[in-house]
Amino acid sequence: MTMDKQLVWVRDPNEGFILARLHELMGEEADVFPIDNKYPKRVCSFEDIFPAGDPVKDVDDNCELMFLNEATLLNNILTRYKKSKIYTYVANILLAVNPYEDIPDMYSSNTIKKYQGKSLGELPPHVFAIADKAFRDMKSLKMSQSIIVSGESGAGKTESTKYILKYLCDLWAKGAGPVEQKILDANPILEAFGNAKTTRNNNSSRFGKFMEVHFNNKYQVVGGHISHYLLEKSRICTQSAEERNYHVFYLLCAGAPQDLRTTLKLTKPDEYLYLKNGCTQYFTSPASDKKINANSMSKQHQAKGGLRDPILDDVEDFERLNQALSRVGLTADEKLAVYKVVAAVLHLGNVEFEEDSGARGGCGVAPKSEPALQAAASLLGIDPAALRLSLVSRLMQSSRGGAKGTAIMVPLKTYEANNARDALAKAVYSRLFDYIVHRINTSIPFQASAYYIGVLDIAGFEYFQMNSFEQFCINYCNEKLQQFFNERILKNEQELYKREGLNVPEIRFVDNQDCIDLIESKNHGIFHLLDEESKLPKPEFGHFTHSVHKQLGVNNNRLQLPRSSRLKAHRTLRDDEGFLLRHFAGAVCYNTGTNFVRCIKPNSRMVGRTSEGGLVLTQLQCSGTTAVLELMEHGYPSRAPFHDLHSMYKAYLPPKLQALSPKLFCEAMVHSLGLSDKDYKFGVTRVFFRPGKYSEFDTMMKSD
Ligand code: ATP
Ligand code: MG
């Protein structure tokens, strides 16, 4: 059948969607002609074709699109991004596309002032609007609030978090006082110790954090607190090609004054094994390279090797860190102690071992590594002989007939000693990180707090070529977050609709309880099996994954063999190479007590003004944003109790109307404003509005 050439979006593996005209329908498929003739005409399944609406017009809230589907969502986001409008809403969820360049006036004090006290939707979407909403909700609901900032690496979570904190501190503290300054000072310190250059982000946070800003009952800032999670420890000892270790190592080797470096016995970064993995060469760069802009980003990205980052000035950054540590109250001696621990980790990494025939099959410290061992011991303030012994042997308590026998030292093989050294380095550094966070927390003045606004900045689901325990923990944490959404928000939302008699069709969502049980169940979850494995005299990776499959794999569609094992031609499928866990990637909640900022990375090259549609679409799908948009077709994301609306708007109406009961008052208002009955519903206790309609209502009320 020949069509009237309707404009449609058709799925494309690279662009996400491309614009085309519908040419002919053929059973379950259609013949389409792309508008841009660089794409060939094609046959598409109906599933991959969506009505386009007006592809040029962009809207602040994606729910206002004429057609709500993943293609129009993607198009709206990309159309706006090209105009430097990086923010949009899906109802109350903020989508933030990383611009990779400074947008003039975007975060200025003037902009902060403009957003004060404004309802969502009154002004263009902005991360400040979410911060302000959290503040207003805290005040009106008398309840602490949280803002969950999510997105993949490099999507802009940490930057968004900083803007939220800046907004809360700047505006509501009426100028940065001691508490606010300390909260803002925490970032350069946390980033020096917990951020690193990766292939996906030059300043990637390798830990999660929850930053709380506390308020008294007059809603003034009175304190702050930082919790941190899951510092990536493997990075302390090894990094992938073209990635770096934590910034602080380079700041000390290359940025600290010479006398401090002498005290720490530090030489050049390329002399430390813990800094050389993934890097080839150290070179110094002119300070003029420093400005972070789109050009230097791409230049930096092209630079092979990670030891030296042309856009970073180690001298200046060391000075900034040193001053920030002083401001959070570390004395000169305490700062030196911190630097000594960092340097000790580097020296420890240079301790190598070799077989020692005199050590009963064990190993000893290689003679060339003696200076490193001595340096590590002296910086840590421990006896070098004790350090040596603990690296090349382990203590074993023999037991006879159940009674504890004598303790004996068992010599370690070279590879075991290497593991012992790395484990020690990781433990020392991660405890140093705990200490740093603790010191920041104790430095923030704290008075009795009534409420807080907490901002969560944590890595999203991670999938690498090689996924270790660290990715497992991050993904587990994301499953829990997803469960939180499902439980507290999606389920509650539907229950509320039912209670209020709204008659909204039931919204299906993927329940991930089974995945969580698989991980955490007390007697047979993956954590339990791991715990058991670690108690064995010789724990083994292959044995562990074998037990996972054996005990949990039967009839479990969440658990599979890894692809390499499944492809084995000779059919002896192996279960000792790992396991594949099917994590959640479906619908999320949309209403928002908790507030959501969903960050989006526009391209993988880390440059401004460039977008890769396919990459953006995948992020929208995996974050559940496209599913949320579908849910919006039926949902009522804004709602307000009758009595709240009555007290908020009665001043705008004549006394006769003011005297009505809250419910009648609300009915009178929506009728007098001529709102279509598709835009709202009356529940038992409150009015519910379709996406974007509450702000329309609010504007009409105030302007009438
Ligand atoms: P990770 O998970 O790796 O920590 P992330 O999501 O925290 O990544 P950010 O470090 O916040 O990502 O952002 C990466 C870079 O993108 C920043 O260093 C900055 O250069 C740029 N960027 C992010 N957000 C903005 C913004 N709003 N304006 C300008 N540049 C930005
Ligand atoms: Mg980050």
Side-chain angles (χ1 to χ4, degrees), residues 639-658:
R639 74 287 313 267
F642 303 135
H643 60 262
D644 282 7
L645 290 177
H646 181 254
S647 52
M648 274 162 74
Y649 296 108
K650 64 182 179 202
Y652 297 95
L653 295 176
K656 223 177 171 180
L657 283 175
Q658 287 181 21

Side-chain angles (χ1 to χ4, degrees), residues 1 24-31 43-47 49:
M1 183 173 70
E24 199 167 359
L25 299 183
M26 306 171 296
E28 301 284 291
E29 293 176 329
D31 204 10
V43 175
C44 294
S45 139
F46 283 173
E47 277 178 5
I49 301 176

Side-chain angles (χ1 to χ4, degrees), residues 23 73 165 229 257 274 283 443 480 573 647 692:
H23 189 66
L73 172 71
L165 294 172
Y229 315 94
Y274 279 172
F283 56 95
S443 80
K480 291 291 266 192
L573 294 184
S647 52

Side-chain angles (χ1 to χ4, degrees), residues 504-541:
V504 168
E506 194 167 340
I507 297 159
R508 278 176 293 123
F509 64 94
V510 182
D511 190 344
N512 63 343
Q513 183 63 48
D514 59 332
C515 187
I516 287 173
D517 287 346
L518 192 63
I519 298 172
E520 67 178 25
S521 167
K522 279 226 160 45
N523 294 321
H524 48 261
I526 294 174
F527 273 132
H528 171 79
L529 294 178
L530 189 59
D531 206 24
E532 291 295 301
E533 185 74 31
S534 68
K535 289 181 196 152
L536 297 177
K538 277 196 172 175
E540 262 182 13
F541 172 76

Side-chain angles (χ1 to χ4, degrees), residues 154 156-159 195 201 203-207 209 457:
K157 298 180 292 295
T158 302
E159 295 300 312
N195 283 28
N201 181 0
N203 184 31
S204 181
S205 326
R206 309 312 301 159
F207 65 103
K209 66 179 186 295
D457 167 10

Side-chain angles (χ1 to χ4, degrees), residues 301-422:
H301 188 58
Q302 285 155 13
K304 291 267 189 289
L307 276 184
R308 175 71 201 182
D309 200 315
I311 60 165
L312 298 177
D313 181 333
D314 291 326
V315 176
E316 200 179 290
D317 288 351
F318 172 79
E319 205 34 55
R320 193 174 300 131
L321 169 67
N322 199 39
Q323 285 173 10
L325 286 172
S326 297
R327 279 202 298 272
V328 298
L330 269 75
T331 62
D333 282 350
E334 285 172 328
K335 281 192 294 186
L336 183 61
V338 167
Y339 299 146
K340 279 184 173 178
V341 175
V342 178
V345 168
L346 285 186
H347 291 296
L348 198 57
N350 276 4
V351 176
E352 293 183 87
F353 305 95
E354 56 185 37
E355 275 179 33
D356 179 356
S357 51
R360 287 179 292 143
C363 68
V365 170
K368 65 166 186 178
S369 301
E370 269 307 317
L373 179 89
Q374 297 287 337
S378 102
L379 290 167
L380 290 172
I382 52 177
D383 174 10
L387 178 61
R388 181 196 319 274
L389 191 66
S390 64
L391 289 174
V392 298
S393 59
R394 71 186 163 88
L395 194 65
M396 204 175 86
Q397 195 98 36
S398 66
S399 62
R400 280 200 204 99
K404 275 195 178 165
T406 42
I408 47 168
M409 297 303 283
V410 181
L412 297 182
K413 298 198 185 330
T414 308
Y415 79 90
E416 291 172 321
N418 282 337
N419 286 343
R421 175 202 59 212
D422 289 352

